[in-house]
mmCIF file of all heavy atoms in Angstrom:
data_model
loop_
_atom_site.group_PDB
_atom_site.id
_atom_site.type_symbol
_atom_site.label_atom_id
_atom_site.label_comp_id
_atom_site.label_asym_id
_atom_site.label_seq_id
_atom_site.Cartn_x
_atom_site.Cartn_y
_atom_site.Cartn_z
ATOM 1 N N LEU A 1031 -13.518 24.135 2.293
ATOM 2 C CA LEU A 1031 -12.486 23.070 2.109
ATOM 3 C C LEU A 1031 -11.148 23.554 2.002
ATOM 4 O O LEU A 1031 -10.229 22.918 2.709
ATOM 5 C CB LEU A 1031 -12.939 22.170 0.874
ATOM 6 C CG LEU A 1031 -12.086 20.907 0.718
ATOM 7 C CD1 LEU A 1031 -12.338 19.944 1.779
ATOM 8 C CD2 LEU A 1031 -12.576 20.310 -0.642
ATOM 9 N N PHE A 1032 -10.910 24.619 1.259
ATOM 10 C CA PHE A 1032 -9.514 25.040 1.085
ATOM 11 C C PHE A 1032 -9.082 26.128 2.123
ATOM 12 O O PHE A 1032 -7.993 26.631 2.076
ATOM 13 C CB PHE A 1032 -9.361 25.696 -0.336
ATOM 14 C CG PHE A 1032 -9.415 24.588 -1.356
ATOM 15 C CD1 PHE A 1032 -10.613 24.218 -2.048
ATOM 16 C CD2 PHE A 1032 -8.300 23.919 -1.726
ATOM 17 C CE1 PHE A 1032 -10.619 23.264 -2.971
ATOM 18 C CE2 PHE A 1032 -8.313 22.952 -2.736
ATOM 19 C CZ PHE A 1032 -9.435 22.598 -3.361
ATOM 20 N N PRO A 1035 -7.764 25.502 8.691
ATOM 21 C CA PRO A 1035 -6.459 25.581 9.196
ATOM 22 C C PRO A 1035 -5.778 24.300 9.454
ATOM 23 O O PRO A 1035 -4.659 24.066 9.226
ATOM 24 C CB PRO A 1035 -6.623 26.489 10.446
ATOM 25 C CG PRO A 1035 -8.078 26.384 10.817
ATOM 26 C CD PRO A 1035 -8.876 26.066 9.546
ATOM 27 N N GLN A 1037 -6.643 21.233 8.282
ATOM 28 C CA GLN A 1037 -6.672 20.245 7.277
ATOM 29 C C GLN A 1037 -6.210 20.846 5.923
ATOM 30 O O GLN A 1037 -7.065 21.466 5.249
ATOM 31 C CB GLN A 1037 -8.115 19.701 7.083
ATOM 32 C CG GLN A 1037 -8.470 18.644 8.071
ATOM 33 C CD GLN A 1037 -9.079 19.322 9.392
ATOM 34 O OE1 GLN A 1037 -9.497 20.446 9.303
ATOM 35 N NE2 GLN A 1037 -9.070 18.593 10.469
ATOM 36 N N PRO A 1038 -4.926 20.722 5.616
ATOM 37 C CA PRO A 1038 -4.442 21.373 4.428
ATOM 38 C C PRO A 1038 -4.861 20.584 3.160
ATOM 39 O O PRO A 1038 -4.009 19.793 2.598
ATOM 40 C CB PRO A 1038 -2.904 21.392 4.573
ATOM 41 C CG PRO A 1038 -2.729 20.245 5.509
ATOM 42 C CD PRO A 1038 -3.877 20.128 6.350
ATOM 43 N N TYR A 1039 -6.067 20.736 2.718
ATOM 44 C CA TYR A 1039 -6.598 19.953 1.714
ATOM 45 C C TYR A 1039 -5.828 20.052 0.356
ATOM 46 O O TYR A 1039 -5.572 19.076 -0.401
ATOM 47 C CB TYR A 1039 -8.107 20.280 1.430
ATOM 48 C CG TYR A 1039 -8.738 19.384 0.394
ATOM 49 C CD1 TYR A 1039 -9.192 18.043 0.753
ATOM 50 C CD2 TYR A 1039 -8.981 19.848 -0.930
ATOM 51 C CE1 TYR A 1039 -9.796 17.224 -0.226
ATOM 52 C CE2 TYR A 1039 -9.533 18.859 -1.879
ATOM 53 C CZ TYR A 1039 -9.964 17.676 -1.467
ATOM 54 O OH TYR A 1039 -10.497 16.914 -2.450
ATOM 55 N N ALA A 1040 -5.528 21.280 0.028
ATOM 56 C CA ALA A 1040 -4.760 21.616 -1.215
ATOM 57 C C ALA A 1040 -3.447 20.798 -1.162
ATOM 58 O O ALA A 1040 -3.045 20.284 -2.259
ATOM 59 C CB ALA A 1040 -4.493 23.049 -1.427
ATOM 60 N N ASP A 1041 -2.771 20.751 -0.092
ATOM 61 C CA ASP A 1041 -1.486 19.999 0.007
ATOM 62 C C ASP A 1041 -1.758 18.522 -0.253
ATOM 63 O O ASP A 1041 -1.040 17.808 -0.906
ATOM 64 C CB ASP A 1041 -0.903 20.219 1.433
ATOM 65 C CG ASP A 1041 -0.326 21.572 1.584
ATOM 66 O OD1 ASP A 1041 -0.078 22.221 0.572
ATOM 67 O OD2 ASP A 1041 -0.036 22.053 2.708
ATOM 68 N N TRP A 1042 -2.794 18.033 0.481
ATOM 69 C CA TRP A 1042 -3.115 16.542 0.332
ATOM 70 C C TRP A 1042 -3.335 16.248 -1.135
ATOM 71 O O TRP A 1042 -2.857 15.241 -1.651
ATOM 72 C CB TRP A 1042 -4.454 16.212 1.050
ATOM 73 C CG TRP A 1042 -4.288 16.351 2.513
ATOM 74 C CD1 TRP A 1042 -3.265 16.454 3.238
ATOM 75 C CD2 TRP A 1042 -5.491 16.406 3.409
ATOM 76 N NE1 TRP A 1042 -3.583 16.540 4.587
ATOM 77 C CE2 TRP A 1042 -4.920 16.490 4.706
ATOM 78 C CE3 TRP A 1042 -6.840 16.299 3.217
ATOM 79 C CZ2 TRP A 1042 -5.733 16.609 5.843
ATOM 80 C CZ3 TRP A 1042 -7.693 16.417 4.316
ATOM 81 C CH2 TRP A 1042 -7.092 16.555 5.631
ATOM 82 N N TYR A 1043 -4.030 17.104 -1.823
ATOM 83 C CA TYR A 1043 -4.408 16.916 -3.279
ATOM 84 C C TYR A 1043 -3.093 16.871 -4.087
ATOM 85 O O TYR A 1043 -2.898 15.896 -4.907
ATOM 86 C CB TYR A 1043 -5.303 18.075 -3.756
ATOM 87 C CG TYR A 1043 -6.248 17.629 -4.795
ATOM 88 C CD1 TYR A 1043 -7.530 17.221 -4.497
ATOM 89 C CD2 TYR A 1043 -5.838 17.641 -6.144
ATOM 90 C CE1 TYR A 1043 -8.424 16.829 -5.499
ATOM 91 C CE2 TYR A 1043 -6.767 17.279 -7.145
ATOM 92 C CZ TYR A 1043 -7.939 16.906 -6.869
ATOM 93 O OH TYR A 1043 -8.880 16.491 -7.841
ATOM 94 N N ALA A 1044 -2.310 17.890 -3.891
ATOM 95 C CA ALA A 1044 -1.057 17.949 -4.578
ATOM 96 C C ALA A 1044 -0.079 16.743 -4.266
ATOM 97 O O ALA A 1044 0.397 16.122 -5.196
ATOM 98 C CB ALA A 1044 -0.281 19.250 -4.325
ATOM 99 N N ASN A 1045 -0.066 16.359 -3.022
ATOM 100 C CA ASN A 1045 0.778 15.217 -2.614
ATOM 101 C C ASN A 1045 0.283 13.984 -3.287
ATOM 102 O O ASN A 1045 1.052 13.129 -3.747
ATOM 103 C CB ASN A 1045 0.748 15.015 -1.070
ATOM 104 C CG ASN A 1045 1.330 16.096 -0.364
ATOM 105 O OD1 ASN A 1045 2.165 16.831 -0.956
ATOM 106 N ND2 ASN A 1045 1.031 16.220 0.921
ATOM 107 N N THR A 1046 -1.058 13.769 -3.334
ATOM 108 C CA THR A 1046 -1.602 12.538 -3.921
ATOM 109 C C THR A 1046 -1.264 12.406 -5.393
ATOM 110 O O THR A 1046 -0.770 11.397 -5.842
ATOM 111 C CB THR A 1046 -3.144 12.523 -3.771
ATOM 112 O OG1 THR A 1046 -3.400 12.701 -2.395
ATOM 113 C CG2 THR A 1046 -3.649 11.260 -4.227
ATOM 114 N N LEU A 1047 -1.407 13.617 -6.109
ATOM 115 C CA LEU A 1047 -1.077 13.608 -7.545
ATOM 116 C C LEU A 1047 0.364 13.303 -7.689
ATOM 117 O O LEU A 1047 0.786 12.606 -8.649
ATOM 118 C CB LEU A 1047 -1.504 14.855 -8.196
ATOM 119 C CG LEU A 1047 -2.975 15.154 -8.228
ATOM 120 C CD1 LEU A 1047 -3.302 16.532 -8.975
ATOM 121 C CD2 LEU A 1047 -3.679 14.120 -8.950
ATOM 122 N N LEU A 1048 1.209 13.937 -6.879
ATOM 123 C CA LEU A 1048 2.690 13.855 -7.002
ATOM 124 C C LEU A 1048 3.134 12.384 -6.764
ATOM 125 O O LEU A 1048 3.770 11.762 -7.571
ATOM 126 C CB LEU A 1048 3.296 14.814 -6.105
ATOM 127 C CG LEU A 1048 4.801 14.947 -6.179
ATOM 128 C CD1 LEU A 1048 5.133 15.881 -7.377
ATOM 129 C CD2 LEU A 1048 5.384 15.504 -4.958
ATOM 130 N N ILE A 1049 2.666 11.894 -5.656
ATOM 131 C CA ILE A 1049 3.125 10.556 -5.266
ATOM 132 C C ILE A 1049 2.591 9.527 -6.213
ATOM 133 O O ILE A 1049 3.271 8.727 -6.700
ATOM 134 C CB ILE A 1049 2.637 10.220 -3.808
ATOM 135 C CG1 ILE A 1049 3.397 11.151 -2.800
ATOM 136 C CG2 ILE A 1049 2.938 8.761 -3.465
ATOM 137 C CD1 ILE A 1049 2.960 10.957 -1.377
ATOM 138 N N GLN A 1117 8.179 11.754 1.583
ATOM 139 C CA GLN A 1117 7.375 11.252 0.485
ATOM 140 C C GLN A 1117 8.313 10.395 -0.362
ATOM 141 O O GLN A 1117 7.823 9.420 -0.975
ATOM 142 C CB GLN A 1117 6.729 12.375 -0.296
ATOM 143 C CG GLN A 1117 5.640 13.083 0.540
ATOM 144 C CD GLN A 1117 5.213 14.366 -0.038
ATOM 145 O OE1 GLN A 1117 5.823 14.841 -0.947
ATOM 146 N NE2 GLN A 1117 4.184 14.833 0.540
ATOM 147 N N THR A 1198 3.467 14.258 9.242
ATOM 148 C CA THR A 1198 3.078 15.717 9.215
ATOM 149 C C THR A 1198 1.879 15.878 8.351
ATOM 150 O O THR A 1198 1.825 15.352 7.212
ATOM 151 C CB THR A 1198 4.237 16.581 8.639
ATOM 152 O OG1 THR A 1198 5.516 15.942 9.143
ATOM 153 C CG2 THR A 1198 4.142 18.000 9.018
ATOM 154 N N PRO A 1199 0.830 16.589 8.793
ATOM 155 C CA PRO A 1199 -0.376 16.838 7.957
ATOM 156 C C PRO A 1199 -0.048 17.385 6.513
ATOM 157 O O PRO A 1199 -0.701 16.966 5.530
ATOM 158 C CB PRO A 1199 -1.117 17.783 8.729
ATOM 159 C CG PRO A 1199 -0.761 17.621 10.144
ATOM 160 C CD PRO A 1199 0.657 17.214 10.014
ATOM 161 N N GLU A 1200 0.883 18.281 6.445
ATOM 162 C CA GLU A 1200 1.223 18.859 5.123
ATOM 163 C C GLU A 1200 1.766 17.875 4.143
ATOM 164 O O GLU A 1200 1.834 18.082 2.895
ATOM 165 C CB GLU A 1200 2.174 20.025 5.255
ATOM 166 C CG GLU A 1200 1.592 21.255 5.769
ATOM 167 C CD GLU A 1200 1.421 21.216 7.272
ATOM 168 O OE1 GLU A 1200 2.148 20.440 7.923
ATOM 169 O OE2 GLU A 1200 0.526 21.958 7.845
ATOM 170 N N LYS A 1201 2.303 16.723 4.601
ATOM 171 C CA LYS A 1201 2.929 15.705 3.759
ATOM 172 C C LYS A 1201 1.920 14.573 3.406
ATOM 173 O O LYS A 1201 2.236 13.745 2.530
ATOM 174 C CB LYS A 1201 4.165 15.188 4.482
ATOM 175 C CG LYS A 1201 5.304 16.154 4.541
ATOM 176 C CD LYS A 1201 6.470 15.433 5.111
ATOM 177 C CE LYS A 1201 7.612 16.419 5.297
ATOM 178 N NZ LYS A 1201 8.696 15.933 6.213
ATOM 179 N N GLN A 1202 0.791 14.547 4.017
ATOM 180 C CA GLN A 1202 -0.006 13.384 3.839
ATOM 181 C C GLN A 1202 -0.813 13.353 2.503
ATOM 182 O O GLN A 1202 -0.803 14.415 1.793
ATOM 183 C CB GLN A 1202 -1.109 13.365 4.925
ATOM 184 C CG GLN A 1202 -0.449 12.900 6.270
ATOM 185 C CD GLN A 1202 -1.337 13.053 7.446
ATOM 186 O OE1 GLN A 1202 -2.295 13.768 7.423
ATOM 187 N NE2 GLN A 1202 -0.976 12.302 8.467
ATOM 188 N N THR A 1203 -1.445 12.216 2.257
ATOM 189 C CA THR A 1203 -2.231 12.039 0.972
ATOM 190 C C THR A 1203 -3.674 12.188 1.269
ATOM 191 O O THR A 1203 -4.048 12.267 2.445
ATOM 192 C CB THR A 1203 -1.943 10.676 0.333
ATOM 193 O OG1 THR A 1203 -2.318 9.731 1.276
ATOM 194 C CG2 THR A 1203 -0.488 10.574 -0.020
ATOM 195 N N LEU A 1204 -4.479 12.318 0.218
ATOM 196 C CA LEU A 1204 -5.883 12.387 0.472
ATOM 197 C C LEU A 1204 -6.593 11.245 1.267
ATOM 198 O O LEU A 1204 -7.344 11.460 2.128
ATOM 199 C CB LEU A 1204 -6.680 12.399 -0.966
ATOM 200 C CG LEU A 1204 -6.550 13.687 -1.661
ATOM 201 C CD1 LEU A 1204 -6.987 13.614 -3.127
ATOM 202 C CD2 LEU A 1204 -7.426 14.854 -0.967
#
Side-chain angles (χ1 to χ4, degrees):
Chain A
L1031 185 64
F1032 287 94
Q1037 285 86 16
Y1039 185 80
D1041 287 342
W1042 295 343
Y1043 210 94
N1045 293 341
T1046 306
L1047 293 183
L1048 189 78
I1049 293 173
Q1117 295 169 348
T1198 321
E1200 285 77 22
K1201 288 183 181 165
Q1202 286 170 341
T1203 60
L1204 282 167

